[in-house]
Amino acid sequence: MKITCNVIKDILPLYVENMVSNDSRAMIEEHIEQCQECKVYLDEMKTFNKIPIDTNITPLLNIKSTLRKKKIQTAIFSMMFLIIVLVITTAFLTAPEYIPYSEGSVAINEIGNGSVLATFDDTVYGYDISSYPTDGNTGYVYHITTWNSIWNRNIKKSNVNNTIINPNGENVVSVYYYQTDGSEDKLIYGKNINSRGGVITLPRLFLSYYSRIAMILALIFGFIILLFNRNRKVNSFMKKIFLLPVSYLLGQLIIKGFTTSSYNATRDFYAILLIMIPIYIASLMALNIISAYKREK
């Protein structure tokens, strides 16, 4: 039987892998010596089987580094989201629910040596007392209010203790109870300091001032970003600064909504700061991801 090139090519893969008998090997080698076409075909097969191993693992390391960064980013995003949810939940549960004045909710009595004691009933879980001297410096005027909250009513039921409102022995001229609904303060002890009209305790406004400052700063930084749009370094730096007042405004919106006045402004301010921090960190990470995506694109 005549050995054709097609027969040789069919068994060449086995020859290359050294999986043929000695007779077949001798037959193939005899044919290869006389057939240039099959010899070239055999060389190509050997070349193909000897593809050099790529020992450069840099691409794999880059992929590994990218995956690790994405895992870290996901973990940080999750943590920031969890902190935001916790702060919002805590702020909601502990938000003061101011108690309208009623007989017995708070009683003011002098207990001797000039000390004046405020006694609260069981519905009171928190209070606020502020004071200022009278016009003639004859003593001090006090304003007091009380509240409870969802947290105190349902989770931690701890009533406030009675308290002396003038621990340093100041002369208490009058004590008013303010009700945070815009109505006149109610005189519950001493004499009325304004015989011609009522006294109204207004909510504190410094959150409003802070919001205005944040808006102005956001506008200024936004203008600078537009101004240096072609300067990559300045633009990138200003975007990070721009996110600070924006994060504060978002925190203000989450905690207080569109209201900027508060009877408990200090508590609200700290709550805004607590929620502003994770918002800012998450915003920076989002900014970096967007920048990286634009560079790859």
Side-chain angles (χ1 to χ4, degrees):
M1 184 180 72
K2 183 180 180 182
I3 305 302
T4 64
C5 291
N6 289 334
V7 173
I8 296 299
K9 289 178 181 178
D10 287 342
I11 59 178
L12 270 181
L14 296 175
Y15 172 80
V16 172
E17 297 295 334
N18 198 22
M19 298 174 64
V20 294
S21 64
N22 292 332
D23 293 342
S24 298
R25 178 182 304 281
M27 178 187 70
I28 293 170
E29 291 175 352
E30 182 181 354
H31 178 89
I32 292 297
E33 287 179 357
Q34 301 173 0
C35 178
Q36 184 62 27
E37 180 184 349
C38 289
K39 185 176 186 299
V40 172
Y41 188 79
L42 175 61
D43 293 339
E44 289 176 351
M45 288 188 67
K46 289 180 177 178
T47 303
F48 178 79
N49 288 336
K50 294 180 180 177
I51 295 175
I53 299 173
D54 188 359
T55 57
N56 184 10
I57 62 172
T58 302
L60 292 177
L61 292 176
N62 290 336
I63 293 173
K64 185 179 179 181
S65 175
T66 301
L67 292 175
R68 186 168 60 246
K69 287 180 180 177
K70 287 186 177 180
K71 284 184 179 178
I72 294 173
Q73 288 174 347
T74 302
I76 294 177
F77 263 125
S78 301
M79 189 182 302
M80 295 302 105
F81 179 76
L82 180 62
I83 292 174
I84 291 172
V85 171
L86 285 176
V87 173
I88 293 174
T89 304
T90 304
F92 173 74
L93 292 177
T94 61
E97 296 176 355
Y98 293 98
I99 303 173
Y101 178 75
S102 63
E103 294 291 341
S105 61
V106 56
I108 306 296
N109 295 290
E110 188 172 348
I111 59 173
N113 298 325
S115 298
V116 176
L117 179 69
T119 305
F120 306 101
D121 71 5
D122 294 339
T123 62
V124 176
Y125 291 96
Y127 62 85
D128 176 66
I129 299 176
S130 59
S131 64
Y132 54 88
T134 60
D135 291 339
N137 288 323
T138 57
Y140 282 81
V141 178
Y142 291 80
H143 293 263
I144 187 171
T145 192
T146 60
W147 67 78
N148 57 32
S149 67
I150 297 174
W151 177 273
N152 291 127
R153 283 199 307 273
N154 301 286
I155 301 174
K156 187 179 180 181
K157 299 180 180 180
S158 57
N159 301 93
V160 295
N161 297 321
N162 301 328
T163 185
I164 295 176
I165 65 174
N166 60 336
N168 297 320
E170 300 90 347
N171 179 35
V172 179
V173 176
S174 54
V175 179
Y176 290 90
Y177 189 93
Y178 67 94
Q179 307 190 73
T180 71
D181 59 359
S183 60
E184 291 183 359
D185 295 1
K186 190 172 184 60
L187 180 66
I188 59 176
Y189 179 85
K191 65 179 182 181
N192 190 358
I193 61 171
N194 188 4
S195 57
R196 290 178 298 179
V199 176
I200 299 177
T201 299
L202 297 175
R204 294 172 178 82
L205 298 175
F206 68 79
L207 289 181
S208 173
Y209 304 143
Y210 291 170
S211 296
R212 292 178 186 177
I213 292 172
M215 286 184 193
I216 293 172
L217 290 176
L219 289 174
I220 293 174
F221 295 149
F223 176 75
I224 294 175
I225 289 172
L226 293 176
L227 193 64
F228 291 91
N229 189 38
R230 295 185 177 180
N231 189 322
R232 183 173 295 178
K233 288 186 178 179
V234 175
N235 188 272
S236 175
F237 176 75
M238 291 310 303
K239 282 180 179 176
K240 294 174 182 174
I241 302 298
F242 170 76
L243 289 175
L244 278 171
V246 172
S247 299
Y248 178 86
L249 292 173
L250 287 174
Q252 160 90 41
L253 185 64
I254 292 172
I255 296 298
K256 292 294 297 177
F258 292 100
T259 302
T260 54
S261 60
S262 174
Y263 283 96
N264 208 330
T266 302
R267 168 197 174 276
D268 294 336
F269 177 66
Y270 286 128
I272 291 171
L273 291 183
L274 279 177
I275 206 165
M276 168 191 169
I277 295 171
I279 289 176
Y280 179 67
I281 294 174
S283 301
L284 284 180
M285 294 183 64
L287 183 64
N288 288 334
I289 292 173
I290 293 172
S291 299
Y293 174 76
K294 286 182 177 179
R295 286 195 299 269
E296 292 175 358
K297 193 175 179 180

Coordinates of all heavy atoms in Angstrom, one line a residue, residues 129-206:
I129 N -33.2 73.6 80.4 CA -33.4 74.8 81.2 C -32.4 75.8 80.8 O -31.2 75.5 80.6 CB -33.1 74.4 82.7 CG1 -34.1 73.4 83.2 CG2 -33.2 75.7 83.6 CD1 -33.9 73.0 84.7
S130 N -32.8 77.0 80.5 CA -31.9 78.1 80.1 C -32.3 79.3 81.0 O -33.4 79.4 81.6 CB -32.1 78.5 78.7 OG -33.4 78.9 78.4
S131 N -31.3 80.1 81.2 CA -31.5 81.3 82.1 C -30.7 82.5 81.7 O -29.8 82.4 80.9 CB -31.1 80.9 83.6 OG -29.7 80.6 83.6
Y132 N -31.2 83.6 82.2 CA -30.5 84.9 81.9 C -30.8 85.9 83.0 O -31.9 85.7 83.7 CB -30.9 85.4 80.5 CG -32.3 85.6 80.3 CD1 -33.0 86.8 80.7 CD2 -33.1 84.6 79.8 CE1 -34.4 87.0 80.5 CE2 -34.5 84.7 79.6 CZ -35.1 85.9 80.0 OH -36.4 86.1 79.8
P133 N -29.9 86.8 83.3 CA -30.2 87.8 84.4 C -31.3 88.8 84.0 O -31.5 89.0 82.8 CB -28.8 88.5 84.6 CG -28.1 88.3 83.2 CD -28.6 87.0 82.7
T134 N -32.0 89.2 85.0 CA -33.0 90.3 84.8 C -32.3 91.6 84.4 O -31.1 91.8 84.5 CB -33.9 90.5 86.0 OG1 -33.0 90.9 87.1 CG2 -34.6 89.2 86.4
D135 N -33.2 92.5 83.9 CA -32.6 93.8 83.5 C -31.9 94.5 84.6 O -30.9 95.2 84.4 CB -33.8 94.7 82.9 CG -34.3 94.1 81.6 OD1 -33.6 93.4 81.0 OD2 -35.4 94.5 81.3
G136 N -32.4 94.4 85.8 CA -31.8 95.1 86.9 C -30.8 94.3 87.7 O -30.4 94.7 88.8
N137 N -30.5 93.1 87.2 CA -29.6 92.2 87.8 C -30.0 91.8 89.2 O -29.2 91.7 90.1 CB -28.1 92.8 87.9 CG -27.5 92.8 86.5 OD1 -27.7 91.8 85.7 ND2 -26.7 93.8 86.2
T138 N -31.3 91.7 89.4 CA -31.8 91.4 90.7 C -31.9 89.8 90.9 O -32.2 89.3 91.9 CB -33.2 92.0 91.0 OG1 -34.1 91.5 89.9 CG2 -33.1 93.5 91.0
G139 N -31.7 89.1 89.8 CA -31.8 87.7 89.9 C -31.8 87.1 88.4 O -31.4 87.8 87.5
Y140 N -32.3 85.9 88.3 CA -32.3 85.2 87.0 C -33.7 84.8 86.6 O -34.6 84.4 87.5 CB -31.4 84.0 87.0 CG -29.9 84.4 87.0 CD1 -29.3 84.8 88.1 CD2 -29.3 84.3 85.7 CE1 -27.9 85.2 88.0 CE2 -27.9 84.7 85.7 CZ -27.2 85.1 86.8 OH -25.9 85.4 86.7
V141 N -34.0 84.8 85.3 CA -35.2 84.3 84.7 C -34.9 83.0 84.1 O -33.9 82.8 83.3 CB -35.8 85.3 83.7 CG1 -37.0 84.7 83.0 CG2 -36.0 86.6 84.3
Y142 N -35.7 82.0 84.3 CA -35.5 80.6 83.8 C -36.6 80.2 82.9 O -37.7 80.6 83.1 CB -35.4 79.6 85.0 CG -34.2 79.8 85.9 CD1 -34.2 80.8 86.8 CD2 -33.1 79.0 85.7 CE1 -33.0 80.9 87.6 CE2 -31.9 79.1 86.5 CZ -31.9 80.1 87.4 OH -30.8 80.3 88.2
H143 N -36.2 79.5 81.8 CA -37.2 78.9 80.9 C -36.9 77.4 80.9 O -35.8 77.0 80.7 CB -37.0 79.5 79.5 CG -37.3 81.0 79.4 ND1 -38.6 81.4 79.0 CD2 -36.6 82.1 79.8 CE1 -38.6 82.8 79.1 NE2 -37.4 83.2 79.5
I144 N -38.0 76.7 81.0 CA -37.9 75.3 81.1 C -38.9 74.6 80.2 O -40.0 75.1 79.9 CB -38.0 74.8 82.6 CG1 -37.7 73.3 82.7 CG2 -39.4 75.1 83.1 CD1 -37.7 72.9 84.2
T145 N -38.5 73.4 79.6 CA -39.5 72.6 78.9 C -39.1 71.2 79.1 O -38.0 70.8 79.6 CB -39.5 73.0 77.4 OG1 -40.6 72.3 76.8 CG2 -38.2 72.4 76.7
T146 N -40.0 70.3 78.8 CA -39.8 68.9 79.0 C -40.2 68.1 77.7 O -41.0 68.6 76.9 CB -40.6 68.3 80.2 OG1 -42.0 68.6 79.9 CG2 -40.3 69.0 81.5
W147 N -39.7 66.8 77.6 CA -40.1 66.0 76.5 C -39.9 64.5 76.8 O -39.3 64.2 77.8 CB -39.2 66.4 75.3 CG -37.7 66.0 75.4 CD1 -37.1 64.8 75.3 CD2 -36.7 66.9 75.7 NE1 -35.8 64.9 75.5 CE2 -35.5 66.2 75.8 CE3 -36.6 68.3 76.0 CZ2 -34.3 66.8 76.1 CZ3 -35.4 68.9 76.2 CH2 -34.2 68.1 76.3
N148 N -40.5 63.7 76.0 CA -40.2 62.3 76.0 C -39.8 61.9 74.5 O -39.8 62.8 73.7 CB -41.3 61.5 76.5 CG -42.6 61.7 75.8 OD1 -42.6 62.0 74.6 ND2 -43.7 61.6 76.5
S149 N -39.6 60.6 74.3 CA -39.3 60.2 72.9 C -39.7 58.8 72.7 O -40.0 58.1 73.7 CB -37.8 60.3 72.7 OG -37.1 59.4 73.5
I150 N -39.7 58.3 71.5 CA -40.1 56.9 71.2 C -39.1 56.0 71.9 O -39.5 55.0 72.4 CB -40.0 56.7 69.6 CG1 -41.1 57.6 68.9 CG2 -40.2 55.2 69.3 CD1 -41.0 57.5 67.4
W151 N -37.8 56.4 71.9 CA -36.8 55.5 72.5 C -37.1 55.4 74.0 O -37.0 54.2 74.5 CB -35.4 56.2 72.3 CG -34.3 55.4 73.0 CD1 -33.8 55.6 74.2 CD2 -33.5 54.4 72.4 NE1 -32.8 54.8 74.5 CE2 -32.5 54.0 73.4 CE3 -33.4 53.7 71.2 CZ2 -31.6 53.0 73.2 CZ3 -32.5 52.7 71.0 CH2 -31.6 52.4 72.0
N152 N -37.3 56.5 74.7 CA -37.5 56.4 76.1 C -38.9 55.7 76.5 O -38.9 55.0 77.5 CB -37.5 57.8 76.7 CG -36.1 58.4 76.7 OD1 -36.0 59.5 76.2 ND2 -35.1 57.7 77.1
R153 N -39.9 55.9 75.7 CA -41.2 55.3 76.0 C -41.1 53.8 75.8 O -41.8 53.0 76.5 CB -42.3 55.9 75.1 CG -42.7 57.2 75.6 CD -44.1 57.6 75.0 NE -44.1 57.4 73.5 CZ -43.8 58.3 72.6 NH1 -43.4 59.5 73.1 NH2 -43.8 58.1 71.4
N154 N -40.4 53.3 74.8 CA -40.5 51.9 74.4 C -39.3 51.1 74.6 O -39.3 49.8 74.6 CB -40.9 51.8 72.9 CG -42.2 52.5 72.6 OD1 -43.3 52.0 73.0 ND2 -42.1 53.7 72.0
I155 N -38.1 51.7 74.7 CA -36.8 50.9 74.8 C -36.1 51.1 76.1 O -36.0 50.2 76.9 CB -35.9 51.3 73.6 CG1 -36.6 51.0 72.3 CG2 -34.6 50.5 73.7 CD1 -35.9 51.4 71.1
K156 N -35.7 52.3 76.4 CA -35.0 52.6 77.6 C -35.9 53.5 78.5 O -35.8 54.8 78.3 CB -33.7 53.2 77.3 CG -32.8 53.4 78.6 CD -31.5 54.0 78.3 CE -30.6 54.2 79.6 NZ -29.3 54.8 79.3
K157 N -36.6 53.0 79.4 CA -37.6 53.7 80.2 C -36.9 54.3 81.4 O -36.9 53.7 82.5 CB -38.8 52.9 80.5 CG -39.5 52.4 79.3 CD -40.7 51.5 79.7 CE -41.5 51.0 78.5 NZ -42.6 50.2 78.8
S158 N -36.2 55.4 81.2 CA -35.5 56.0 82.4 C -36.0 57.4 82.5 O -35.6 58.3 81.7 CB -34.0 56.0 82.1 OG -33.7 56.6 80.9
N159 N -36.7 57.7 83.6 CA -37.2 59.0 83.8 C -36.1 59.9 84.3 O -35.1 59.4 84.9 CB -38.4 58.9 84.9 CG -39.5 58.1 84.4 OD1 -39.5 56.9 84.7 ND2 -40.4 58.7 83.7
V160 N -36.3 61.2 84.1 CA -35.2 62.1 84.6 C -35.4 62.3 86.1 O -36.5 62.1 86.7 CB -35.3 63.5 83.9 CG1 -35.1 63.3 82.4 CG2 -36.7 64.1 84.1
N161 N -34.3 62.6 86.7 CA -34.3 62.9 88.2 C -34.8 64.4 88.4 O -34.6 65.2 87.5 CB -33.0 62.7 88.8 CG -32.6 61.2 88.7 OD1 -33.4 60.3 88.8 ND2 -31.3 61.0 88.4
N162 N -35.3 64.7 89.5 CA -35.6 66.0 89.9 C -34.3 66.8 90.0 O -33.2 66.2 90.3 CB -36.3 66.1 91.2 CG -37.6 65.3 91.2 OD1 -38.3 65.2 90.1 ND2 -38.0 64.7 92.3
T163 N -34.4 68.1 89.7 CA -33.1 68.9 89.7 C -33.3 70.3 90.3 O -34.4 70.8 90.2 CB -32.6 69.0 88.2 OG1 -31.4 69.7 88.2 CG2 -33.6 69.9 87.4
I164 N -32.2 70.7 90.9 CA -32.2 72.1 91.4 C -31.8 73.0 90.3 O -30.7 72.8 89.6 CB -31.2 72.2 92.6 CG1 -31.7 71.4 93.7 CG2 -31.0 73.7 93.0 CD1 -30.7 71.3 94.9
I165 N -32.6 74.0 90.0 CA -32.4 74.8 88.8 C -31.4 75.9 89.1 O -30.8 76.5 88.1 CB -33.7 75.4 88.2 CG1 -34.3 76.4 89.2 CG2 -34.7 74.3 87.9 CD1 -35.6 77.1 88.7
N166 N -31.1 76.2 90.3 CA -30.1 77.3 90.7 C -29.1 76.6 91.6 O -29.0 77.0 92.8 CB -30.8 78.5 91.3 CG -31.5 78.1 92.6 OD1 -31.9 77.0 92.8 ND2 -31.7 79.1 93.4
P167 N -28.2 75.7 91.1 CA -27.3 75.0 92.0 C -26.3 76.0 92.6 O -25.7 75.6 93.7 CB -26.6 74.0 91.1 CG -26.8 74.6 89.7 CD -28.1 75.3 89.7
N168 N -26.0 77.2 92.1 CA -25.1 78.1 92.7 C -25.7 79.1 93.5 O -25.1 80.1 93.9 CB -24.3 78.8 91.5 CG -23.5 77.8 90.7 OD1 -22.9 76.8 91.3 ND2 -23.4 77.9 89.4
G169 N -27.0 78.9 93.8 CA -27.7 79.8 94.7 C -28.2 81.1 94.1 O -28.5 82.1 94.8
E170 N -28.3 81.2 92.8 CA -28.8 82.4 92.2 C -30.2 82.7 92.6 O -31.0 81.8 92.9 CB -28.8 82.2 90.6 CG -27.4 82.0 90.0 CD -27.1 80.5 89.9 OE1 -27.8 79.7 90.6 OE2 -26.1 80.1 89.3
N171 N -30.6 84.0 92.6 CA -31.9 84.4 93.0 C -32.9 84.1 91.8 O -32.7 84.6 90.7 CB -32.0 85.9 93.4 CG -33.4 86.3 93.7 OD1 -34.1 85.5 94.3 ND2 -33.7 87.5 93.4
V172 N -33.8 83.2 92.0 CA -34.8 82.9 90.9 C -35.9 83.8 91.0 O -36.7 83.8 91.9 CB -35.3 81.4 91.1 CG1 -36.3 81.1 90.0 CG2 -34.1 80.4 91.1
V173 N -36.0 84.7 90.0 CA -37.0 85.7 89.9 C -38.3 85.1 89.3 O -39.4 85.3 89.8 CB -36.6 86.9 89.0 CG1 -37.7 87.9 88.9 CG2 -35.4 87.6 89.7
S174 N -38.1 84.3 88.2 CA -39.3 83.7 87.6 C -38.9 82.5 86.8 O -37.7 82.4 86.4 CB -40.1 84.7 86.7 OG -39.2 85.3 85.8
V175 N -39.8 81.6 86.7 CA -39.6 80.4 85.9 C -40.8 80.3 84.9 O -42.0 80.3 85.3 CB -39.5 79.1 86.7 CG1 -39.3 77.9 85.8 CG2 -38.4 79.2 87.7
Y176 N -40.5 80.2 83.6 CA -41.5 80.0 82.5 C -41.4 78.6 81.9 O -40.3 78.1 81.8 CB -41.3 81.1 81.4 CG -41.6 82.5 81.9 CD1 -40.6 83.3 82.4 CD2 -42.9 83.0 81.7 CE1 -40.9 84.6 82.8 CE2 -43.2 84.3 82.0 CZ -42.2 85.1 82.6 OH -42.5 86.4 82.9
Y177 N -42.5 78.1 81.5 CA -42.5 76.9 80.8 C -42.8 77.2 79.3 O -43.8 77.8 79.0 CB -43.6 75.9 81.3 CG -43.5 74.5 80.8 CD1 -42.8 73.5 81.4 CD2 -44.2 74.2 79.6 CE1 -42.7 72.2 80.9 CE2 -44.1 72.9 79.0 CZ -43.4 71.9 79.7 OH -43.3 70.7 79.2
Y178 N -41.9 76.8 78.4 CA -42.1 77.1 77.0 C -42.5 75.8 76.3 O -42.0 74.7 76.6 CB -40.9 77.8 76.3 CG -39.7 77.0 76.2 CD1 -39.4 76.2 75.0 CD2 -38.7 76.9 77.2 CE1 -38.2 75.5 74.9 CE2 -37.6 76.2 77.1 CZ -37.3 75.5 75.9 OH -36.1 74.8 75.8
Q179 N -43.4 75.9 75.3 CA -44.1 74.8 74.7 C -43.8 74.5 73.3 O -44.4 73.6 72.6 CB -45.6 74.9 74.9 CG -46.0 75.2 76.4 CD -47.5 75.2 76.7 OE1 -48.0 74.1 76.7 NE2 -48.1 76.4 76.8
T180 N -42.9 75.2 72.7 CA -42.3 75.0 71.3 C -43.4 75.0 70.2 O -43.2 74.4 69.2 CB -41.6 73.6 71.3 OG1 -42.5 72.6 71.3 CG2 -40.5 73.5 72.4
D181 N -44.6 75.6 70.5 CA -45.6 75.6 69.5 C -45.9 77.1 69.1 O -46.9 77.3 68.4 CB -46.9 74.9 69.9 CG -47.4 75.5 71.2 OD1 -46.8 76.5 71.7 OD2 -48.5 75.0 71.7
G182 N -45.1 78.0 69.5 CA -45.3 79.4 69.2 C -46.2 80.1 70.2 O -46.4 81.3 70.0
S183 N -46.8 79.4 71.1 CA -47.7 80.1 72.1 C -46.8 80.7 73.2 O -45.6 80.4 73.3 CB -48.6 79.0 72.7 OG -47.9 78.0 73.4
E184 N -47.5 81.6 74.0 CA -46.7 82.3 75.0 C -46.2 81.3 76.1 O -46.9 80.3 76.4 CB -47.6 83.3 75.7 CG -48.0 84.5 74.8 CD -48.8 85.5 75.5 OE1 -49.1 85.3 76.7 OE2 -49.2 86.5 74.9
D185 N -45.0 81.6 76.7 CA -44.5 80.8 77.8 C -45.4 81.0 79.0 O -46.0 82.1 79.2 CB -43.1 81.3 78.1 CG -42.1 81.0 77.0 OD1 -42.6 80.5 75.9 OD2 -40.9 81.3 77.2
K186 N -45.6 79.9 79.8 CA -46.4 80.0 80.9 C -45.6 80.2 82.2 O -44.7 79.4 82.4 CB -47.2 78.6 81.0 CG -48.3 78.7 82.0 CD -49.2 77.4 82.0 CE -50.3 77.5 82.9 NZ -51.2 78.7 82.7
L187 N -46.0 81.2 82.9 CA -45.3 81.5 84.2 C -45.7 80.4 85.2 O -46.9 80.3 85.5 CB -45.7 82.9 84.7 CG -45.0 83.3 86.0 CD1 -43.5 83.4 85.9 CD2 -45.6 84.6 86.5
I188 N -44.7 79.7 85.7 CA -45.1 78.6 86.7 C -44.4 78.9 88.1 O -44.6 78.1 89.0 CB -44.6 77.2 86.2 CG1 -43.1 77.2 85.9 CG2 -45.5 76.8 84.9 CD1 -42.7 75.8 85.4
Y189 N -43.6 79.9 88.1 CA -43.0 80.2 89.4 C -42.5 81.7 89.4 O -42.0 82.2 88.4 CB -41.8 79.3 89.7 CG -41.1 79.6 91.0 CD1 -41.5 79.0 92.2 CD2 -40.0 80.4 91.1 CE1 -40.9 79.3 93.4 CE2 -39.3 80.7 92.3 CZ -39.8 80.1 93.4 OH -39.1 80.3 94.6
G190 N -42.7 82.4 90.5 CA -42.2 83.8 90.6 C -43.1 84.8 90.0 O -44.3 84.6 89.9
K191 N -42.5 85.9 89.6 CA -43.4 87.0 89.1 C -43.1 87.2 87.6 O -42.0 86.8 87.1 CB -43.0 88.3 89.8 CG -41.6 88.8 89.6 CD -41.4 90.1 90.4 CE -40.0 90.6 90.1 NZ -39.7 91.9 90.9
N192 N -44.1 87.7 86.9 CA -44.0 88.0 85.5 C -43.1 89.1 85.2 O -43.3 90.2 85.8 CB -45.4 88.3 84.9 CG -45.4 88.3 83.4 OD1 -44.4 88.1 82.8 ND2 -46.6 88.5 82.8
I193 N -42.1 88.9 84.4 CA -41.1 90.0 84.1 C -41.6 91.0 83.1 O -40.9 92.0 82.8 CB -39.7 89.4 83.7 CG1 -39.9 88.6 82.4 CG2 -39.1 88.6 84.8 CD1 -38.6 88.2 81.7
N194 N -42.7 90.6 82.4 CA -43.2 91.5 81.4 C -44.7 91.7 81.6 O -45.5 90.9 81.0 CB -42.9 91.0 80.0 CG -43.2 91.9 78.9 OD1 -43.6 93.1 79.1 ND2 -43.1 91.5 77.6
S195 N -45.0 92.7 82.4 CA -46.4 92.8 82.8 C -47.3 93.3 81.6 O -48.5 93.2 81.6 CB -46.5 93.8 83.9 OG -45.9 95.1 83.6
R196 N -46.6 93.9 80.6 CA -47.4 94.4 79.4 C -47.7 93.4 78.3 O -48.4 93.7 77.4 CB -46.6 95.6 78.8 CG -46.6 96.8 79.8 CD -45.8 98.0 79.2 NE -44.4 97.6 79.0 CZ -43.5 98.4 78.4 NH1 -43.8 99.6 78.0 NH2 -42.3 98.0 78.3
G197 N -47.1 92.2 78.5 CA -47.4 91.2 77.4 C -46.8 89.9 77.8 O -46.1 89.8 78.9
G198 N -46.9 88.9 77.0 CA -46.4 87.6 77.3 C -45.0 87.5 76.9 O -44.4 88.3 76.2
V199 N -44.4 86.4 77.2 CA -43.0 86.0 76.9 C -43.1 84.8 76.0 O -43.8 83.8 76.3 CB -42.2 85.7 78.2 CG1 -40.8 85.3 77.8 CG2 -42.2 87.0 79.0
I200 N -42.4 84.8 74.9 CA -42.3 83.7 74.0 C -40.9 83.2 73.8 O -40.0 84.1 73.4 CB -42.9 84.0 72.6 CG1 -44.4 84.4 72.8 CG2 -42.8 82.8 71.6 CD1 -45.1 84.9 71.5
T201 N -40.6 82.0 74.0 CA -39.3 81.4 73.7 C -39.2 81.0 72.2 O -40.1 80.1 71.8 CB -39.0 80.2 74.6 OG1 -39.0 80.7 76.0 CG2 -37.6 79.6 74.3
L202 N -38.3 81.5 71.5 CA -38.2 81.2 70.1 C -37.2 80.1 69.8 O -36.3 79.9 70.6 CB -37.8 82.4 69.3 CG -38.8 83.6 69.3 CD1 -38.2 84.8 68.6 CD2 -40.1 83.2 68.7
P203 N -37.4 79.3 68.8 CA -36.4 78.3 68.5 C -35.0 78.9 68.1 O -34.9 80.0 67.7 CB -37.0 77.5 67.3 CG -37.9 78.5 66.6 CD -38.4 79.3 67.8
R204 N -34.0 78.1 68.3 CA -32.6 78.6 68.0 C -32.4 78.6 66.5 O -32.9 77.7 65.8 CB -31.6 77.8 68.7 CG -31.7 78.0 70.3 CD -30.7 77.0 71.0 NE -30.8 77.3 72.4 CZ -31.7 76.8 73.2 NH1 -32.7 76.0 72.7 NH2 -31.7 77.0 74.5
L205 N -31.7 79.6 66.0 CA -31.5 79.7 64.6 C -30.1 79.4 64.0 O -29.9 79.6 62.8 CB -31.9 81.2 64.2 CG -33.4 81.6 64.5 CD1 -33.6 83.0 64.2 CD2 -34.3 80.7 63.7
F206 N -29.2 79.0 64.9 CA -27.8 78.9 64.3 C -27.7 77.8 63.3 O -26.8 77.9 62.4 CB -26.8 78.7 65.4 CG -26.8 77.4 66.2 CD1 -26.2 76.3 65.6 CD2 -27.4 77.3 67.4 CE1 -26.2 75.1 66.3 CE2 -27.4 76.2 68.1 CZ -26.8 75.0 67.6

